[in-house]
Structures are given as structure tokens and as C-alpha cells.
Amino acid sequence: MDFISILSIFVLACFVGYYVVWSVTPALHTPLMAVTNAISSVIIVGALIAAAEAGSPAAKWLGLLGVVLASVNIFGGFAVTERMLAMYKKKEKK
Amino acid sequence: MGSLFSNHSTQALAGVQLRQLRFWIPAFAGMTVLTATPAHAATGEAVNPWVALAYLVAGVFFILALRGLSSPATSRTGNRYGMIGMAIAVVTTLATHFPGSNPCDELVASGGTGLCTDVFMPDWASFAEIVVAIAIGAVIGLTIARRIAMTSMPELVAAFHSLVGLAAVLVAAAAFLNPGAFGILDAAGSIAPVSRVEMILGAAIGAITFSGSVIAFAKLSGRMSGSPILLPARHIINLGTLAAIIVLTAIYAMQPIAGPAEGMLFWIVLALAFVIGFLLIIPIGGADMPVVVSMLNSYSGWAAAAMGFTLGNSAMIITGALVGSSGAILSYIMCRAMNRSFISVIAGGFGADDSAASGAADGGEQRPYKQGSADDAAFMLEQAEKVIIIPGYGMAVAQAQHALREMGDILKEKGVEVKYAIHPVAGRMPGHMNVLLAEANVPYDEVFELEDINSEFAQADVAFIIGANDVVNPAAKTDKSSPIYGMPVFDVDKAKQVFFIKRSMGGVGYSGVDNDVFYMDQTMMLLSDAKKMVEEIVKALD
């Protein structure tokens, strides 16, 4: 992709982010942070690419370490979000 | 030199598709004679429309994940969307970047011509390493997620931010060491200027996120004093470091210097970024940590976005933009809730004069106030028609949330209307108090935000303040000289009765200012540990 198409995606995504995040209820701001944490670990894509290439051993090991760190975040982030969201309950009707 | 294809881009495209085909259909093998220019055909993976589409779908799932959080009812579905998006991104990357090599690609890359076996040789050992790396991360991540106490969420989030930051640094460093793998080489075989800027930005923001989050983690978890550490001339040092980073980045991007000097520039910028992350957070006091955690959340997003630019990966760019705006908005909300400008938070030093302020409050202790017992409180709570409970972080510290919920339940059984009112800065991070109450089984439809409930205090019989202080201080509305002036607060003075649970009269809130609510006619101070006091009230109610 050329730079301008990438930039277009980025700018539009910023606007989407702005409106989507304002629509998040304040009660869920902590889960919001946990889940944004998990999804920002999509950086694992870069780490996987580095880890798969044999070209430079140093780059490969940095990539593998990046994979470990990012997956701690992915699994930990989604799991802790799930745990928190499971606690939000409506009033029980007795 | 002869070329199989008429122009550069189709050649790249065809090379990629051929490679995919080889991966999926191993039978597609044979001897091929390649006479091609070394055009890094194997590096432009994102050009394949299906792969790009898969990443785009992953990005859309991430948007849906955040959209789901607009209500607790849809939030869990949202979280699942996030997981699906992540799975798509990871599987797509693993499939298109399967470790291994093709002898023909290597021949092309080395610029040679001749006979080669055109079949992809998967490197299963490397693949196993990657799977093991993911598994290690999964075990650590899931263990932490299961064990962490909800009161420790801010630390956990700070720690997770530091991991994203470090991962971004590692990816950028790997891209720097092996640019060919990331497809960021230009025709001359050096890293393209735009990619240089993106890469170094990703590395620098990642480094700032990392060192900043480590400090935030240390401060939040009490491993480091929460009070601000003020270096002399810190603004000059910070601005100087920042300027150095910008100048060096510009030099690195504009003038490709061949050889080791160029590598040095990259590492120097990285080191400076680590230092500035550290310097930026050190002077910020404990009370401002909600802003810092949100801000670092934002940074981790921008780091991911910068790396997304480097890789031309839409999933990373969309995610980065989402997370970046999310963190920025949360910082804004936190700043607004404290009536502090973002700049003044970053400049740091808030709470530095704690000792002086509490000294002043000692003088105020002479003012008369009414003290009550748990029995008095229980009696009046029973008589009330409407009770609004205002929990603050002190409640969480005392672990009083379960006892509080029990008290609320008993009152509800007795026909009292019970509501919880939460200030945006009630916890140590945005929304923290809501999670703590949810954990104590308080239904979320009984929990209200400041602006939604503030008008109801006039009809409330009791405002029950537990572990909060600054957020009910009327000085924020009236006293222009107060450090918290302008901060939105609860109008507890409008309630018929105010119960204020506080450990002792001596301590003051984070801002270190005295609170007129203590001395109002309708206020009854309940001086005790929050948990003990609530438990006693519960006993008295039975």
C-alpha cells in the first residue's frame, strides 16, 4: 500500500475511534483500558514477521521475545476484561 | 537484464501470489529457471488483496469490540469480537509469514541467476519456536489475569502497557536489523526515508511507553513513593531530550549515512526515548496517576500505529488509532474531572506540598463537628427514604465494598431506595470504582455517574460518604483560592443528612485541603476504619 492510502486509513480510524470511545459508558472505562491494551498487542503481527525470518538471527530472537510479551498481553488482557465484564450484573428481580 | 514481467509492481504482486499458492498447495513444485532482477519480490506481502482484506476484517472486529462497551449488556460480545479479530490477525500473519524459505527466492535475493527448485521449504523448528513463544505468553497472561485483585487493576494495566511498549521497541529493532523481512527497503537496498521515520517513531513511542509505564507501575503498586520526585531544571532537561530525539530522527531520515554511524543514530534515539519516558513520569504525583495511565494507554496505541505504518498493515493502524484516541479521551475525561489541564499534569509536581497543606488542615481541626456512632447511623438510615452512597478510593483500600453492598441490600429490603454515586476520579484509574462495586455484586443499574445523579441530592435523605473526600468538597465550587477549585463535585450539602466515614479528622484528601462538609450542621462524622464502621452499621440494622 502506498503512504497516502495508509494515512487515509489512519485518519479515518482516528475519527472512528473518537466517536466509538465517547459512546463507551463511563462505568466500563476500566474494561475499556484492559481491552484496548489487549488489542494494541496486535503489534504481535510485527513480532511474528520478525520471528519467522531467518535473515538475521538477532532480529529473529527480538521477534520471538516480542511474541512472548505481546501474547502475555493478548491472553492476559482479554481474560481480565472477560473476568471484569462477567461481574457487571443487572438488578436481580426477586 | 531480462525480466519476466514488464514492470516492477506486477512482478511483486505475482511473486507474492505464487508464494501463497506454494504454501497452500505443496504439490505445486518443480524446477524453474529464474532470471529476474533482485526486486525484493518476497517482501511486499500486504499487496495480496486477500491478506490485506483479512487484516481489514481484524481491524473492523476491533472497532466492534470497543463499540460493545457502550453498555454492560453488549460488552461481553464485544470482548469476543476483539478475540476473533486478534485470532484473524495472528493466523493471517502466521500463514503468510510461515517460517521457511524458497531456494528460488534466495537466488533472486542474492541477485544470482540459474537453476533452482521452486518449492517452499517450511522451517518447522522455527514455527515450533513461535508456537512455544505464544504458549509461554498465554500461560503467563492467563495466570496473571486469573489471580489479579480488582483493586490492583491500575498496576496491572500499567504493567501491560509497558509490555506493549517493549514489544513495539523489539519489533522496531527487528525491522531495523532485518529491514528486508518487513519490506521497507527501497530500490537502492537501504531503508526508505518514510519507513525510517515511522520505524524510529514506533521505537521511540514504544520506549517512552515502556519506561513511563514501569514508573507508573512502581508508583501505583507502592514499590516507589507516590510523591513526585522533582529534579532541578527538569523542564529544560525534558525539552532538551525531546529536541535531541526530533533532531536525530530528522538526521536519520534525511541523510542516510552508510555504515555503523547510522545504526548508532537509531540506538541513541531509542536510548533517549527510554530516558524521557522515565523523566516524564517521575515528577507526577500519585493523585494524577489516572491521567498518566490513560496517557500511556494512548501512547501504546500510537506506537502500534507507527509500526502499522512501517508494515503497511491496516489492522495495526486501525487498532493503533482506536487505542490512541481511547487513551487520549480518557486522559481528557480524567483531567476535566480534576479540573486540571493536561499540560499541568504532564509538567508534574501536583501534591508536592502535601506536608504544608496538611499542616494547614491541622489548624482547621479546631472547628466543631458532630461525631456519631454506628447505631446512630443505622437508625437514621432505616428511617430514610432515599440514600445515596458516595464511595471513594479509601473504601477500596479498607476493602469495605462487600460490607457496603450488604448494608445496601439490607436497606433495600427495608424499603429504602439506595443509589451509588461515582465520581470519575473515584478510583485509581477511569472506571475503577465501578469495577470494584461490580465485584461486590452491586448491580450496575444502581450505580450512577456524577452528572446523572447530582440533581438528586436535594431529594436524598442521606448522603453516605465512604472513603471519599475531595469529590464532595464544596470549596471546589466556592473557594477560588482552593487547589481543587473548578473540579466538579457532588452537591452533598443539599442532602438532609450527611454521614461521613473517615478514619480520623486529621487526614485530608489528596489535594490536602480542608473540607467544609465535616462541619455542616447536618453532617455526622463516623470516625473509624471504613470496613469496621460499615460492618457495625450492618449489625445494628439487623
Side-chain angles (χ1 to χ4, degrees):
Chain A
M1 274 191 284
D2 62 302
F3 183 73
I4 288 301
S5 2
I6 298 178
L7 189 66
S8 315
I9 294 178
F10 177 69
V11 172
L12 293 177
C14 283
F15 278 93
V16 172
Y18 180 85
Y19 289 107
V20 168
V21 172
W22 273 117
S23 78
V24 171
T25 165
L28 292 175
H29 276 164
T30 296
L32 170 70
M33 288 189 104
V35 83
T36 50
N37 214 321
I39 64 172
S40 62
S41 304
V42 73
I43 194 118
I44 197 172
V45 167
L48 286 170
I49 293 174
E53 293 288 334
S56 153
K60 184 186 152 177
W61 285 108
L62 290 179
L64 278 175
L65 185 57
V67 171
V68 174
L69 297 181
S71 60
V72 168
N73 238 322
I74 292 172
F75 286 91
F78 281 125
V80 87
T81 310
E82 192 70 21
R83 208 183 122 196
M84 278 191 278
L85 294 177
M87 299 186 309
Y88 283 80
K89 292 187 193 82
K90 261 190 128 99
K91 211 178 300 183
E92 284 167 47
K93 291 192 180 83
K94 284 177 192 167
Chain B
M1 193 182 283
S3 174
L4 285 174
F5 301 95
S6 52
N7 75 44
H8 184 93
S9 64
T10 41
Q11 183 184 22
L13 189 66
V16 173
Q17 282 171 339
L18 209 58
R19 188 175 182 172
Q20 244 78 77
L21 215 56
R22 283 188 215 121
F23 171 64
W24 294 111
I25 312 164
F28 189 87
M31 299 288 274
T32 311
V33 181
L34 270 185
T35 48
T37 48
H40 316 288
T43 57
E45 258 81 3
V47 175
N48 182 325
W50 290 106
V51 176
L53 194 65
Y55 284 127
L56 185 64
V57 170
V60 171
F61 271 112
F62 291 146
I63 296 174
L64 291 176
L66 298 198
R67 186 77 189 94
L69 291 174
S70 57
S71 132
T74 55
S75 58
R76 295 181 78 182
T77 321
N79 199 32
R80 304 278 152 75
Y81 284 144
M83 294 181 200
I84 296 171
M86 189 60 76
I88 293 174
V90 169
V91 170
T92 307
T93 314
L94 281 175
T96 54
H97 290 267
F98 200 88
S101 56
N102 184 314
C104 283
D105 285 348
E106 279 171 18
L107 192 66
V108 171
S110 65
T113 54
L115 212 59
C116 61
T117 313
D118 189 13
V119 60
F120 181 76
M121 312 272 211
D123 177 358
W124 291 102
S126 290
F127 183 69
E129 282 170 1
I130 292 175
V131 172
V132 168
I134 294 178
I136 294 173
V139 170
I140 300 174
L142 291 175
T143 312
I144 296 173
R146 201 161 298 147
R147 294 213 180 135
I148 192 83
M150 284 301 142
T151 37
S152 310
M153 274 313 291
E155 290 103 285
L156 180 73
V157 167
F160 276 173
H161 287 158
S162 75
L163 294 184
V164 180
L166 193 55
V169 171
L170 292 174
V171 172
F176 175 74
L177 293 171
N178 191 6
F182 288 81
I184 51 174
L185 291 174
D186 60 13
S190 77
I191 305 174
V194 178
S195 298
R196 283 167 182 255
V197 175
E198 294 159 358
M199 192 175 75
I200 211 158
L201 264 182
I205 301 173
I208 293 173
T209 311
F210 172 72
S211 52
S213 298
V214 167
I215 302 295
F217 170 77
K219 287 197 174 195
L220 284 165
S221 63
R223 285 174 175 80
M224 192 174 152
S225 154
S227 60
I229 297 166
L230 300 174
L231 295 174
R234 63 181 195 281
H235 296 307
I236 296 166
I237 298 175
N238 288 351
L239 289 177
T241 317
L242 205 61
I245 290 177
I246 292 167
V247 169
L248 291 177
T249 304
I251 295 175
Y252 177 68
M254 299 298 169
Q255 298 176 305
I257 320 160
E262 188 177 285
M264 281 310 290
L265 270 180
F266 179 81
W267 300 117
I268 290 171
V269 171
L270 198 53
L272 286 176
F274 274 117
V275 171
I276 200 164
F278 179 78
L279 290 176
L280 270 179
I281 308 304
I282 272 230
I284 302 181
D288 284 339
M289 276 300 143
V291 182
V292 170
V293 173
S294 316
M295 184 188 83
L296 292 167
N297 184 245
S298 179
Y299 285 2
S300 68
W302 303 130
M307 294 319 296
F309 273 97
T310 309
L311 294 172
N313 184 304
S314 55
M316 284 167 87
I317 293 169
I318 293 174
T319 313
L322 289 178
V323 179
S325 7
S326 165
I329 290 172
L330 291 177
S331 318
Y332 167 77
I333 292 174
M334 289 295 106
C335 285
R336 193 182 55 181
M338 296 192 290
N339 193 37
R340 312 244 294 119
S341 79
F342 187 69
I343 298 293
S344 71
V345 170
I346 295 310
F350 192 62
D353 45 7
D354 253 350
S355 51
S358 55
D362 284 343
E365 234 182 297
Q366 314 305 329
R367 293 166 68 183
Y369 61 90
K370 267 184 277 180
Q371 192 178 346
S373 70
D375 291 328
D376 303 337
F379 177 75
M380 278 187 271
L381 283 169
E382 260 177 322
Q383 306 300 318
E385 268 174 38
K386 182 171 184 174
V387 174
I388 299 178
I389 299 172
I390 303 164
Y393 192 66
M395 177 211 69
V397 173
Q399 289 290 321
Q401 54 269 45
H402 288 88
L404 186 69
R405 195 256 313 152
E406 213 180 316
M407 186 190 92
D409 284 352
I410 296 174
L411 287 175
K412 273 188 282 174
E413 272 168 35
K414 292 181 189 281
V416 182
E417 187 186 0
V418 178
K419 286 185 172 181
Y420 295 82
I422 295 192
H423 194 275
V425 295
R428 276 293 165 280
M429 68 188 287
H432 192 196
M433 192 54 66
N434 302 76
V435 176
L436 294 173
L437 289 180
E439 191 193 19
N441 287 321
V442 172
Y444 63 79
D445 37 8
E446 288 176 11
V447 181
F448 296 88
E449 303 301 320
L450 173 68
E451 55 263 43
D452 298 330
I453 201 164
N454 221 1
S455 57
E456 294 187 27
F457 279 101
Q459 294 103 51
D461 299 294
V462 176
F464 191 89
I465 303 160
I466 170 167
N469 189 348
D470 289 341
V471 298
V472 296
N473 195 336
K477 287 183 288 187
T478 52
D479 181 6
K480 281 194 176 160
S481 64
S482 169
I484 58 168
Y485 180 73
M487 175 172 148
V489 290
F490 292 111
D491 299 327
V492 286
D493 44 333
K494 295 204 179 116
K496 289 193 195 80
Q497 270 280 324
V498 178
F499 294 161
F500 208 122
I501 298 189
K502 208 169 173 311
R503 193 176 286 276
S504 70
M505 288 306 287
V508 287
Y510 260 110
S511 63
V513 282
D514 204 9
N515 194 337
D516 283 337
V517 172
F518 302 159
Y519 316 108
M520 294 189 314
D521 285 341
Q522 72 265 44
T523 303
M524 187 164 83
M525 297 301 295
L526 302 168
L527 298 179
S528 165
D529 173 70
K531 190 179 179 188
K532 222 159 80 197
M533 177 56 74
V534 177
E535 280 169 351
E536 280 169 21
I537 294 176
V538 167
K539 223 180 283 168
L541 281 171
D542 274 338

